[in-house]
Amino acid sequence: MSENQSYTIRVWRQDDAQAAGKFVDYDVKDVSPDASFLEMLDLVNEDLTRDGGEPIAFDYDCREGICGSCGCVIDGVAHGPLPGTTTCQLYMRNFPPGATITVEPWRASAFPVIKDLVVDRSSMDRIIMAGGYISVSAGSAPDANNIPVPKPEADLAFEAAECIGCGACVAACKNASASLFTGAKIEHLARLPQGQAERARRAQRMVETAEAEGFGACSNEGECEAVCPKEIPTRVIQRMNRDYIRAYLKMI
Amino acid sequence: MLDGKVPGGPIESKWNRHIGEMSLVNPANRRKYNVIVVGTGLAGASAAATLGEQGYNVKAFTILDSPRRSHSIAAQGGINAAKNYKNDGDSVHRLFYDTIKGGDYRAREGNVHRLAEVSVNIIDQCVAQGVPFAREYGGLLDTRSFGGAQVARTFYARGQTGQQLLIGAYQSLMRQVDAGSVELHARQEMLDLVLVGGRARGIITRNLVTGELERHMADAVLLCTGGYGNVYYLSTNAGNTNVSAAWRCARRGAYFANPSFAQVHPTCIPETGDYQAKLTLMSESLRNDGRVWVPKKAGDERSPDQIPDAERDYYLERRYPSFGNLVPRDVASRNAKFVCDEGRGVGATGRAVYLDFRDAITRLGQETVAEKYGNLFDMYHHISNEDPYSVPMKIYPAVHYTMGGLWVDYHLQSNIEGLFVLGEANFSDHGANRLGASALMQGLADGYFVVPYTLANYLANTQLGDLSTDAEEFKSAEDVTEKRIRTLLSVDGNKTVQDFHRELGRTMWENVGMARNREGLTQALKDVQGLREEYHQNVKVVGRADNFNKALEFGLRVADYMEFAEVSVRDALAREESCGCHFREEYQTKDGECLRNDEEFSHVSAWEFTGADKEPVMHKEDLTFDFAEVKQRSYK
Ligand SMILES: Cc1cc2nc3c(=O)[nH]c(=O)nc-3n(C[C@H](O)[C@H](O)[C@H](O)COP(=O)(O)OP(=O)(O)OC[C@H]3O[C@@H](n4cnc5c(N)ncnc54)[C@H](O)[C@@H]3O)c2cc1C
Ligand code: FES
């Protein structure tokens, strides 16, 4: 086990959506390299509380990279320096000792700040609402093995279905586009025989909802794939575009 | 004596016959009924979606910013179902029997059989929703085997089964939100239950963004708020998992059943320091090829590769020659504790044992091992900064799941009429120990296939008067909540919420953990009471009531844990036998295994809250086994 280290964190503090925010510096002393990044923030908050200050607000739940609650821009990169991980999966050993670490919320007009590092991502739920499902009511399903699905197709569907809905793709995109997120759901369901009946309508509605929610258009920068904690490939965006156009041409 | 209200007749046909007997609500009338669903994990999302599909007016609540983030998302291993696709002799009866036995004969037979019956429908439903389960090359569904079973009945989606099932349920839920039958209230926390005329008729919530208290009214309330594992502070549960919703119902009169039952999972990454906020589970599947050992000699500080085989104690293989490293969770956990108590634990804290893949790598080659467990090895490496291909993993048990919960009858209704409890929040079908891959099954069974019938029966047979949220009952419940918040913010003491929570967790873990005894429990009772008193005098919760304030959220939850912990300790004291997770050191066989006492303790203990400073009253539900043969569990 290596020695404890000290850091300076420069954190975005903002009272609510209306308030103007600003960066505030905090010294963090004597942190174990085995502490996670969020545990480091916990320590800062404990100290702040003891001093009567308001703790830094940030979202989390699982702390193991699957729920998609956590997420900040760390030193300019969504979810920080390691590829294929969420903010909660970072450890202090991933930062050089003595470093100054800048921590900001996701920035996108479709994600208004609620407080400090917490943003409102309900716009992503509304994209799913607009067709990110297969319409099958409980009790009406046929036997699960009635329709075989070739393993390679099932694996590709799974790869897209791994999306945790964290919003890092939006935060990393200069257009604040939600195309990786939207494409992942369209790809997941379009790969499966069960998803075919609603495929055209799904693509149309989801893409149009994303636009209406204020997410930008995709200009193929690929930043989203680079920060995605599940490393969802940009081919899902091609699928989205293809299905969207073909839906209009009534080809699917 | 409590009555579980299990319908009569042969066990195979109870549920189906009962479905025919229960009353229905006419489709055209359903929209006149309002139903509140608290919690949107597997149980809540599946229930809310299904009731929405059927035409009820549903309001769904979750603490999190989206239903998709609920703790169910973290489940890794799989979900059981008696499909018998492998043709390996599985059946509804076998799943029923394995679950009853796995729970050490402390679950209700009728419920467990129903669970096994509907398990097959769950898989059908999930596949139709597009859940990408693992498949074989022929395109059909793949299954694997899990602890406590001799058949391969576990369906899985790589190591992310919970995620995929929850996304399926979430999508169905969002479809109903889109259709207008479900109103979604995210970032809302239920802080009280409202009773009118003795029936559950609504809830008080706090909007976690604005801090506003809201009143919501309904004809029935479904509580799907998960387990209480975080009373131990450190557990594998998600950070926002809490007992508060259930405890607030308990304070309104709902009985809390078996509150000392908590499953400790043997293979978790050990604690490293005080700063730690949670423990991470490493899948049970690792025990298929990893060998568990500690040095024979206490205090042996040599690195593992310097310890020759003759000086290693593969204690599970030694004690349980027929099951070896694959003994059930409770047995594996307890034995890890025992060897560490003897001073033979490893790692910096001495609270860890080795899970060694050296022999598997020699036998199968590194490539094969990587293929099977690669992602788990990576995860371990990432968290602990050690490479498990060259250094044995260090693991230790951690609290994982809670079998206790609000008492419910066969209809999943608590003793408060109109309050239904689903998923991990109820006292469940798992008795004193849950088998792997059975919690996901139970949550979805409750939500998709049980409560839609039993709720209709309740609504159809109940005359509910007109009500408005201006009623005195709502007002007084809101006042109580408002006062609780104000009081907590005004204490302004010297210790943080986390300080207290950590302390409470330590007391619980040491005394109501893997091994319990009268002396420790008696002391724990005093400690917990003392801590609770101190909490209300010396806690420091900063910030305001009228905005986003996590410290306040947690402050309220830890206050509830303090009260709940006391009932948990009392339950462990009262159950003078050992069963499943509940190992009372006074009651063990001569070789250190659980010694059940079926004469006196074949019952569910359901505790009635009578006041914060008063002793709770225990009610019993007798458990009778007409269909499963009761035996002593043995894994030797
Ligand atoms: C790491 C891990 C791995 C697991 N793996 C498996 C596995 O492989 N197989 C298996 O069968 N089981 C597994 N389990 C157990 C299983 O995941 C859980 O028991 C199950 O998912 C619980 O589902 P639930 O719907 O009852 O509750 P949860 O999923 O816990 O959902 C609770 C919901 O209630 C909400 N809530 C709570 N309190 C309030 C309140 N006061 N107001 C409003 N909303 C509230 C929460 O926000 C959330 O939406 C695992 C558990 C863990 C921790
Ligand atoms: S807290 Fe769940 S992904 Fe980070």
PDB file of all heavy atoms in Angstrom, chain A residues 46 50 59 61-62 64 89 93 125 138 143-144 162 165 185 188, chain B residues 53 66 85 124 130 170-171 187 239-240 278 382-383 496 499:
ATOM      1  N   GLU A  46     -17.381  15.758   4.767  1.00  0.00           N
ATOM      2  CA  GLU A  46     -17.369  15.589   6.225  1.00  0.00           C
ATOM      3  C   GLU A  46     -16.695  16.791   6.885  1.00  0.00           C
ATOM      4  O   GLU A  46     -17.185  17.333   7.857  1.00  0.00           O
ATOM      5  CB  GLU A  46     -16.599  14.319   6.599  1.00  0.00           C
ATOM      6  CG  GLU A  46     -17.294  13.030   6.223  1.00  0.00           C
ATOM      7  CD  GLU A  46     -18.492  12.774   7.089  1.00  0.00           C
ATOM      8  OE1 GLU A  46     -18.327  12.266   8.209  1.00  0.00           O
ATOM      9  OE2 GLU A  46     -19.607  13.117   6.653  1.00  0.00           O
ATOM     10  N   ARG A  50     -18.395  19.604   9.380  1.00  0.00           N
ATOM     11  CA  ARG A  50     -17.885  19.920  10.727  1.00  0.00           C
ATOM     12  C   ARG A  50     -17.628  21.421  10.887  1.00  0.00           C
ATOM     13  O   ARG A  50     -17.813  21.980  11.942  1.00  0.00           O
ATOM     14  CB  ARG A  50     -16.615  19.128  11.011  1.00  0.00           C
ATOM     15  CG  ARG A  50     -16.926  17.719  11.509  1.00  0.00           C
ATOM     16  CD  ARG A  50     -15.660  16.980  11.903  1.00  0.00           C
ATOM     17  NE  ARG A  50     -15.329  15.973  10.911  1.00  0.00           N
ATOM     18  CZ  ARG A  50     -15.845  14.752  10.892  1.00  0.00           C
ATOM     19  NH1 ARG A  50     -16.681  14.372  11.837  1.00  0.00           N
ATOM     20  NH2 ARG A  50     -15.526  13.897   9.949  1.00  0.00           N
ATOM     21  N   ASP A  59     -24.471  13.368  -7.307  1.00  0.00           N
ATOM     22  CA  ASP A  59     -25.355  12.203  -7.380  1.00  0.00           C
ATOM     23  C   ASP A  59     -24.557  10.911  -7.345  1.00  0.00           C
ATOM     24  O   ASP A  59     -23.486  10.833  -7.947  1.00  0.00           O
ATOM     25  CB  ASP A  59     -26.137  12.225  -8.707  1.00  0.00           C
ATOM     26  CG  ASP A  59     -27.536  12.799  -8.555  1.00  0.00           C
ATOM     27  OD1 ASP A  59     -28.116  12.656  -7.461  1.00  0.00           O
ATOM     28  OD2 ASP A  59     -28.040  13.378  -9.532  1.00  0.00           O
ATOM     29  N   ASP A  61     -25.341   6.342  -6.557  1.00  0.00           N
ATOM     30  CA  ASP A  61     -26.112   5.313  -5.881  1.00  0.00           C
ATOM     31  C   ASP A  61     -25.286   4.035  -5.744  1.00  0.00           C
ATOM     32  O   ASP A  61     -24.815   3.732  -4.675  1.00  0.00           O
ATOM     33  CB  ASP A  61     -27.451   5.042  -6.575  1.00  0.00           C
ATOM     34  CG  ASP A  61     -28.453   4.356  -5.644  1.00  0.00           C
ATOM     35  OD1 ASP A  61     -28.434   4.643  -4.445  1.00  0.00           O
ATOM     36  OD2 ASP A  61     -29.263   3.530  -6.117  1.00  0.00           O
ATOM     37  N   CYS A  62     -25.020   3.348  -6.874  1.00  0.00           N
ATOM     38  CA  CYS A  62     -24.384   2.027  -6.762  1.00  0.00           C
ATOM     39  C   CYS A  62     -22.908   2.080  -6.396  1.00  0.00           C
ATOM     40  O   CYS A  62     -22.382   1.185  -5.772  1.00  0.00           O
ATOM     41  CB  CYS A  62     -24.551   1.262  -8.071  1.00  0.00           C
ATOM     42  SG  CYS A  62     -23.503   1.879  -9.415  1.00  0.00           S
ATOM     43  N   GLU A  64     -20.595   1.379  -8.241  1.00  0.00           N
ATOM     44  CA  GLU A  64     -19.804   0.357  -8.927  1.00  0.00           C
ATOM     45  C   GLU A  64     -19.971   0.403 -10.437  1.00  0.00           C
ATOM     46  O   GLU A  64     -19.780  -0.592 -11.125  1.00  0.00           O
ATOM     47  CB  GLU A  64     -20.026  -1.037  -8.356  1.00  0.00           C
ATOM     48  CG  GLU A  64     -21.458  -1.467  -8.165  1.00  0.00           C
ATOM     49  CD  GLU A  64     -21.553  -2.816  -7.441  1.00  0.00           C
ATOM     50  OE1 GLU A  64     -21.258  -2.860  -6.227  1.00  0.00           O
ATOM     51  OE2 GLU A  64     -21.906  -3.804  -8.089  1.00  0.00           O
ATOM     52  N   GLN A  89     -15.896   4.881 -10.309  1.00  0.00           N
ATOM     53  CA  GLN A  89     -14.880   3.822 -10.420  1.00  0.00           C
ATOM     54  C   GLN A  89     -13.449   4.363 -10.450  1.00  0.00           C
ATOM     55  O   GLN A  89     -12.509   3.609 -10.690  1.00  0.00           O
ATOM     56  CB  GLN A  89     -15.127   2.988 -11.680  1.00  0.00           C
ATOM     57  CG  GLN A  89     -16.392   2.147 -11.609  1.00  0.00           C
ATOM     58  CD  GLN A  89     -16.651   1.453 -12.928  1.00  0.00           C
ATOM     59  OE1 GLN A  89     -16.913   2.091 -13.941  1.00  0.00           O
ATOM     60  NE2 GLN A  89     -16.551   0.141 -12.935  1.00  0.00           N
ATOM     61  N   ARG A  93      -5.489   6.824  -6.616  1.00  0.00           N
ATOM     62  CA  ARG A  93      -4.205   6.436  -7.214  1.00  0.00           C
ATOM     63  C   ARG A  93      -4.178   6.731  -8.716  1.00  0.00           C
ATOM     64  O   ARG A  93      -3.125   6.666  -9.337  1.00  0.00           O
ATOM     65  CB  ARG A  93      -3.925   4.954  -6.936  1.00  0.00           C
ATOM     66  CG  ARG A  93      -4.800   3.981  -7.683  1.00  0.00           C
ATOM     67  CD  ARG A  93      -4.408   2.532  -7.400  1.00  0.00           C
ATOM     68  NE  ARG A  93      -5.176   1.958  -6.314  1.00  0.00           N
ATOM     69  CZ  ARG A  93      -6.334   1.288  -6.517  1.00  0.00           C
ATOM     70  NH1 ARG A  93      -6.809   1.107  -7.736  1.00  0.00           N
ATOM     71  NH2 ARG A  93      -6.998   0.793  -5.493  1.00  0.00           N
ATOM     72  N   ASP A 125     -35.014  10.319 -19.925  1.00  0.00           N
ATOM     73  CA  ASP A 125     -36.178   9.452 -19.688  1.00  0.00           C
ATOM     74  C   ASP A 125     -37.255   9.712 -20.743  1.00  0.00           C
ATOM     75  O   ASP A 125     -37.945   8.797 -21.191  1.00  0.00           O
ATOM     76  CB  ASP A 125     -36.784   9.720 -18.308  1.00  0.00           C
ATOM     77  CG  ASP A 125     -35.964   9.107 -17.181  1.00  0.00           C
ATOM     78  OD1 ASP A 125     -35.387   8.029 -17.397  1.00  0.00           O
ATOM     79  OD2 ASP A 125     -35.894   9.717 -16.094  1.00  0.00           O
ATOM     80  N   ALA A 138     -47.744  -7.448 -19.500  1.00  0.00           N
ATOM     81  CA  ALA A 138     -47.447  -8.631 -18.685  1.00  0.00           C
ATOM     82  C   ALA A 138     -48.517  -9.686 -18.889  1.00  0.00           C
ATOM     83  O   ALA A 138     -49.711  -9.400 -18.824  1.00  0.00           O
ATOM     84  CB  ALA A 138     -47.348  -8.243 -17.212  1.00  0.00           C
ATOM     85  N   ASP A 143     -43.841 -18.417 -25.153  1.00  0.00           N
ATOM     86  CA  ASP A 143     -42.711 -19.076 -24.505  1.00  0.00           C
ATOM     87  C   ASP A 143     -41.394 -18.472 -24.988  1.00  0.00           C
ATOM     88  O   ASP A 143     -41.195 -18.216 -26.171  1.00  0.00           O
ATOM     89  CB  ASP A 143     -42.714 -20.576 -24.792  1.00  0.00           C
ATOM     90  CG  ASP A 143     -41.597 -21.271 -24.034  1.00  0.00           C
ATOM     91  OD1 ASP A 143     -41.845 -21.692 -22.894  1.00  0.00           O
ATOM     92  OD2 ASP A 143     -40.458 -21.343 -24.563  1.00  0.00           O
ATOM     93  N   ALA A 144     -40.494 -18.285 -24.039  1.00  0.00           N
ATOM     94  CA  ALA A 144     -39.256 -17.560 -24.318  1.00  0.00           C
ATOM     95  C   ALA A 144     -38.424 -18.192 -25.419  1.00  0.00           C
ATOM     96  O   ALA A 144     -37.698 -17.500 -26.125  1.00  0.00           O
ATOM     97  CB  ALA A 144     -38.441 -17.463 -23.031  1.00  0.00           C
ATOM     98  N   GLU A 162     -26.148  -2.284 -22.908  1.00  0.00           N
ATOM     99  CA  GLU A 162     -25.334  -2.014 -21.716  1.00  0.00           C
ATOM    100  C   GLU A 162     -25.353  -0.561 -21.284  1.00  0.00           C
ATOM    101  O   GLU A 162     -24.886  -0.232 -20.195  1.00  0.00           O
ATOM    102  CB  GLU A 162     -23.878  -2.390 -21.996  1.00  0.00           C
ATOM    103  CG  GLU A 162     -23.541  -3.820 -21.742  1.00  0.00           C
ATOM    104  CD  GLU A 162     -22.031  -3.998 -21.710  1.00  0.00           C
ATOM    105  OE1 GLU A 162     -21.405  -3.971 -22.777  1.00  0.00           O
ATOM    106  OE2 GLU A 162     -21.491  -4.129 -20.606  1.00  0.00           O
ATOM    107  N   GLY A 165     -27.129   5.117 -19.279  1.00  0.00           N
ATOM    108  CA  GLY A 165     -27.896   6.360 -19.252  1.00  0.00           C
ATOM    109  C   GLY A 165     -27.300   7.439 -18.381  1.00  0.00           C
ATOM    110  O   GLY A 165     -28.016   8.207 -17.741  1.00  0.00           O
ATOM    111  N   LYS A 185     -30.260   2.610 -27.750  1.00  0.00           N
ATOM    112  CA  LYS A 185     -31.569   1.967 -27.512  1.00  0.00           C
ATOM    113  C   LYS A 185     -32.188   1.483 -28.824  1.00  0.00           C
ATOM    114  O   LYS A 185     -32.742   0.384 -28.910  1.00  0.00           O
ATOM    115  CB  LYS A 185     -32.506   2.944 -26.785  1.00  0.00           C
ATOM    116  CG  LYS A 185     -33.822   2.361 -26.306  1.00  0.00           C
ATOM    117  CD  LYS A 185     -33.679   1.029 -25.581  1.00  0.00           C
ATOM    118  CE  LYS A 185     -32.815   1.114 -24.333  1.00  0.00           C
ATOM    119  NZ  LYS A 185     -32.346  -0.221 -23.873  1.00  0.00           N
ATOM    120  N   HIS A 188     -30.252  -1.633 -29.805  1.00  0.00           N
ATOM    121  CA  HIS A 188     -30.588  -2.771 -28.934  1.00  0.00           C
ATOM    122  C   HIS A 188     -31.879  -3.435 -29.419  1.00  0.00           C
ATOM    123  O   HIS A 188     -31.927  -4.649 -29.642  1.00  0.00           O
ATOM    124  CB  HIS A 188     -30.716  -2.260 -27.472  1.00  0.00           C
ATOM    125  CG  HIS A 188     -31.478  -3.163 -26.537  1.00  0.00           C
ATOM    126  ND1 HIS A 188     -32.090  -2.702 -25.401  1.00  0.00           N
ATOM    127  CD2 HIS A 188     -31.722  -4.493 -26.556  1.00  0.00           C
ATOM    128  CE1 HIS A 188     -32.684  -3.698 -24.772  1.00  0.00           C
ATOM    129  NE2 HIS A 188     -32.478  -4.806 -25.447  1.00  0.00           N
TER     130      HIS A 188
ATOM    131  N   GLU B  53     -50.782  -0.853 -17.472  1.00  0.00           N
ATOM    132  CA  GLU B  53     -51.283  -1.582 -18.652  1.00  0.00           C
ATOM    133  C   GLU B  53     -52.731  -2.003 -18.445  1.00  0.00           C
ATOM    134  O   GLU B  53     -53.533  -2.003 -19.374  1.00  0.00           O
ATOM    135  CB  GLU B  53     -50.442  -2.854 -18.888  1.00  0.00           C
ATOM    136  CG  GLU B  53     -49.040  -2.587 -19.433  1.00  0.00           C
ATOM    137  CD  GLU B  53     -48.065  -3.752 -19.162  1.00  0.00           C
ATOM    138  OE1 GLU B  53     -48.497  -4.814 -18.654  1.00  0.00           O
ATOM    139  OE2 GLU B  53     -46.866  -3.563 -19.461  1.00  0.00           O
ATOM    140  N   SER B  66     -33.968   8.761 -11.910  1.00  0.00           N
ATOM    141  CA  SER B  66     -34.685   7.985 -12.913  1.00  0.00           C
ATOM    142  C   SER B  66     -34.948   6.591 -12.346  1.00  0.00           C
ATOM    143  O   SER B  66     -34.108   6.062 -11.606  1.00  0.00           O
ATOM    144  CB  SER B  66     -33.839   7.863 -14.181  1.00  0.00           C
ATOM    145  OG  SER B  66     -34.380   6.853 -15.014  1.00  0.00           O
ATOM    146  N   TYR B  85     -35.322 -26.039 -19.447  1.00  0.00           N
ATOM    147  CA  TYR B  85     -34.847 -26.040 -20.837  1.00  0.00           C
ATOM    148  C   TYR B  85     -33.653 -26.981 -21.019  1.00  0.00           C
ATOM    149  O   TYR B  85     -33.376 -27.447 -22.100  1.00  0.00           O
ATOM    150  CB  TYR B  85     -34.416 -24.623 -21.256  1.00  0.00           C
ATOM    151  CG  TYR B  85     -35.548 -23.684 -21.610  1.00  0.00           C
ATOM    152  CD1 TYR B  85     -35.346 -22.298 -21.591  1.00  0.00           C
ATOM    153  CD2 TYR B  85     -36.797 -24.165 -21.994  1.00  0.00           C
ATOM    154  CE1 TYR B  85     -36.358 -21.419 -21.937  1.00  0.00           C
ATOM    155  CE2 TYR B  85     -37.815 -23.284 -22.332  1.00  0.00           C
ATOM    156  CZ  TYR B  85     -37.588 -21.913 -22.307  1.00  0.00           C
ATOM    157  OH  TYR B  85     -38.588 -21.038 -22.652  1.00  0.00           O
ATOM    158  N   ASP B 124     -40.450 -15.547 -19.966  1.00  0.00           N
ATOM    159  CA  ASP B 124     -41.187 -15.264 -21.201  1.00  0.00           C
ATOM    160  C   ASP B 124     -41.400 -13.758 -21.345  1.00  0.00           C
ATOM    161  O   ASP B 124     -41.156 -13.170 -22.403  1.00  0.00           O
ATOM    162  CB  ASP B 124     -42.568 -15.949 -21.184  1.00  0.00           C
ATOM    163  CG  ASP B 124     -42.458 -17.465 -21.110  1.00  0.00           C
ATOM    164  OD1 ASP B 124     -41.365 -17.993 -21.406  1.00  0.00           O
ATOM    165  OD2 ASP B 124     -43.460 -18.111 -20.728  1.00  0.00           O
ATOM    166  N   GLY B 130     -37.462  -7.760 -24.830  1.00  0.00           N
ATOM    167  CA  GLY B 130     -36.171  -7.500 -25.464  1.00  0.00           C
ATOM    168  C   GLY B 130     -34.983  -7.628 -24.531  1.00  0.00           C
ATOM    169  O   GLY B 130     -33.895  -7.153 -24.856  1.00  0.00           O
ATOM    170  N   TYR B 170     -38.207  -0.991 -16.676  1.00  0.00           N
ATOM    171  CA  TYR B 170     -38.200   0.480 -16.788  1.00  0.00           C
ATOM    172  C   TYR B 170     -38.820   0.910 -18.116  1.00  0.00           C
ATOM    173  O   TYR B 170     -39.625   1.836 -18.177  1.00  0.00           O
ATOM    174  CB  TYR B 170     -36.763   0.972 -16.636  1.00  0.00           C
ATOM    175  CG  TYR B 170     -36.447   2.325 -17.249  1.00  0.00           C
ATOM    176  CD1 TYR B 170     -36.877   3.507 -16.645  1.00  0.00           C
ATOM    177  CD2 TYR B 170     -35.685   2.412 -18.420  1.00  0.00           C
ATOM    178  CE1 TYR B 170     -36.569   4.743 -17.208  1.00  0.00           C
ATOM    179  CE2 TYR B 170     -35.370   3.642 -18.980  1.00  0.00           C
ATOM    180  CZ  TYR B 170     -35.816   4.808 -18.375  1.00  0.00           C
ATOM    181  OH  TYR B 170     -35.510   6.019 -18.935  1.00  0.00           O
ATOM    182  N   GLN B 171     -38.438   0.213 -19.171  1.00  0.00           N
ATOM    183  CA  GLN B 171     -38.993   0.579 -20.483  1.00  0.00           C
ATOM    184  C   GLN B 171     -40.508   0.363 -20.516  1.00  0.00           C
ATOM    185  O   GLN B 171     -41.246   1.199 -21.041  1.00  0.00           O
ATOM    186  CB  GLN B 171     -38.286  -0.221 -21.585  1.00  0.00           C
ATOM    187  CG  GLN B 171     -36.861   0.286 -21.775  1.00  0.00           C
ATOM    188  CD  GLN B 171     -36.001  -0.552 -22.723  1.00  0.00           C
ATOM    189  OE1 GLN B 171     -34.822  -0.282 -22.852  1.00  0.00           O
ATOM    190  NE2 GLN B 171     -36.578  -1.558 -23.363  1.00  0.00           N
ATOM    191  N   ARG B 187     -36.974  11.687  -7.923  1.00  0.00           N
ATOM    192  CA  ARG B 187     -36.416  12.561  -6.891  1.00  0.00           C
ATOM    193  C   ARG B 187     -37.489  12.984  -5.886  1.00  0.00           C
ATOM    194  O   ARG B 187     -37.641  14.155  -5.560  1.00  0.00           O
ATOM    195  CB  ARG B 187     -35.768  13.798  -7.504  1.00  0.00           C
ATOM    196  CG  ARG B 187     -34.488  13.514  -8.306  1.00  0.00           C
ATOM    197  CD  ARG B 187     -33.681  14.773  -8.485  1.00  0.00           C
ATOM    198  NE  ARG B 187     -32.646  14.696  -9.502  1.00  0.00           N
ATOM    199  CZ  ARG B 187     -31.390  14.315  -9.279  1.00  0.00           C
ATOM    200  NH1 ARG B 187     -31.020  13.903  -8.092  1.00  0.00           N
ATOM    201  NH2 ARG B 187     -30.509  14.314 -10.267  1.00  0.00           N
ATOM    202  N   GLY B 239     -26.014   3.243  -2.275  1.00  0.00           N
ATOM    203  CA  GLY B 239     -25.984   4.223  -1.205  1.00  0.00           C
ATOM    204  C   GLY B 239     -27.334   4.716  -0.723  1.00  0.00           C
ATOM    205  O   GLY B 239     -27.506   5.028   0.457  1.00  0.00           O
ATOM    206  N   ASN B 240     -28.303   4.808  -1.620  1.00  0.00           N
ATOM    207  CA  ASN B 240     -29.596   5.359  -1.210  1.00  0.00           C
ATOM    208  C   ASN B 240     -30.573   4.306  -0.701  1.00  0.00           C
ATOM    209  O   ASN B 240     -31.695   4.635  -0.329  1.00  0.00           O
ATOM    210  CB  ASN B 240     -30.235   6.129  -2.366  1.00  0.00           C
ATOM    211  CG  ASN B 240     -29.458   7.398  -2.669  1.00  0.00           C
ATOM    212  OD1 ASN B 240     -29.498   8.360  -1.905  1.00  0.00           O
ATOM    213  ND2 ASN B 240     -28.689   7.390  -3.747  1.00  0.00           N
ATOM    214  N   LYS B 278     -18.688   1.808   0.640  1.00  0.00           N
ATOM    215  CA  LYS B 278     -19.440   0.596   0.309  1.00  0.00           C
ATOM    216  C   LYS B 278     -18.490  -0.552   0.043  1.00  0.00           C
ATOM    217  O   LYS B 278     -17.284  -0.348  -0.104  1.00  0.00           O
ATOM    218  CB  LYS B 278     -20.344   0.833  -0.903  1.00  0.00           C
ATOM    219  CG  LYS B 278     -19.618   0.742  -2.221  1.00  0.00           C
ATOM    220  CD  LYS B 278     -20.578   0.447  -3.366  1.00  0.00           C
ATOM    221  CE  LYS B 278     -21.155  -0.950  -3.301  1.00  0.00           C
ATOM    222  NZ  LYS B 278     -22.133  -1.218  -4.338  1.00  0.00           N
ATOM    223  N   HIS B 382      -8.800  -3.592 -10.815  1.00  0.00           N
ATOM    224  CA  HIS B 382      -9.076  -2.162 -10.835  1.00  0.00           C
ATOM    225  C   HIS B 382      -9.311  -1.604  -9.423  1.00  0.00           C
ATOM    226  O   HIS B 382      -8.794  -0.561  -9.051  1.00  0.00           O
ATOM    227  CB  HIS B 382     -10.302  -1.935 -11.708  1.00  0.00           C
ATOM    228  CG  HIS B 382     -10.634  -0.499 -11.889  1.00  0.00           C
ATOM    229  ND1 HIS B 382      -9.928   0.312 -12.723  1.00  0.00           N
ATOM    230  CD2 HIS B 382     -11.570   0.276 -11.297  1.00  0.00           C
ATOM    231  CE1 HIS B 382     -10.422   1.524 -12.660  1.00  0.00           C
ATOM    232  NE2 HIS B 382     -11.423   1.537 -11.798  1.00  0.00           N
ATOM    233  N   ILE B 383     -10.070  -2.325  -8.626  1.00  0.00           N
ATOM    234  CA  ILE B 383     -10.426  -1.820  -7.300  1.00  0.00           C
ATOM    235  C   ILE B 383      -9.278  -2.006  -6.315  1.00  0.00           C
ATOM    236  O   ILE B 383      -8.946  -1.116  -5.534  1.00  0.00           O
ATOM    237  CB  ILE B 383     -11.711  -2.505  -6.782  1.00  0.00           C
ATOM    238  CG1 ILE B 383     -12.883  -2.090  -7.667  1.00  0.00           C
ATOM    239  CG2 ILE B 383     -11.984  -2.177  -5.320  1.00  0.00           C
ATOM    240  CD1 ILE B 383     -14.186  -2.754  -7.342  1.00  0.00           C
ATOM    241  N   THR B 496     -21.090  14.131  12.529  1.00  0.00           N
ATOM    242  CA  THR B 496     -21.851  14.091  11.275  1.00  0.00           C
ATOM    243  C   THR B 496     -22.750  12.851  11.243  1.00  0.00           C
ATOM    244  O   THR B 496     -22.572  11.906  12.028  1.00  0.00           O
ATOM    245  CB  THR B 496     -20.908  14.038  10.063  1.00  0.00           C
ATOM    246  OG1 THR B 496     -20.208  12.791  10.093  1.00  0.00           O
ATOM    247  CG2 THR B 496     -19.920  15.180  10.059  1.00  0.00           C
ATOM    248  N   ASP B 499     -20.698   9.825  10.768  1.00  0.00           N
ATOM    249  CA  ASP B 499     -20.046   9.349  11.997  1.00  0.00           C
ATOM    250  C   ASP B 499     -20.972   8.385  12.736  1.00  0.00           C
ATOM    251  O   ASP B 499     -20.564   7.307  13.167  1.00  0.00           O
ATOM    252  CB  ASP B 499     -19.743  10.526  12.956  1.00  0.00           C
ATOM    253  CG  ASP B 499     -18.620  11.431  12.460  1.00  0.00           C
ATOM    254  OD1 ASP B 499     -17.777  10.950  11.684  1.00  0.00           O
ATOM    255  OD2 ASP B 499     -18.593  12.621  12.859  1.00  0.00           O
TER     256      ASP B 499
END
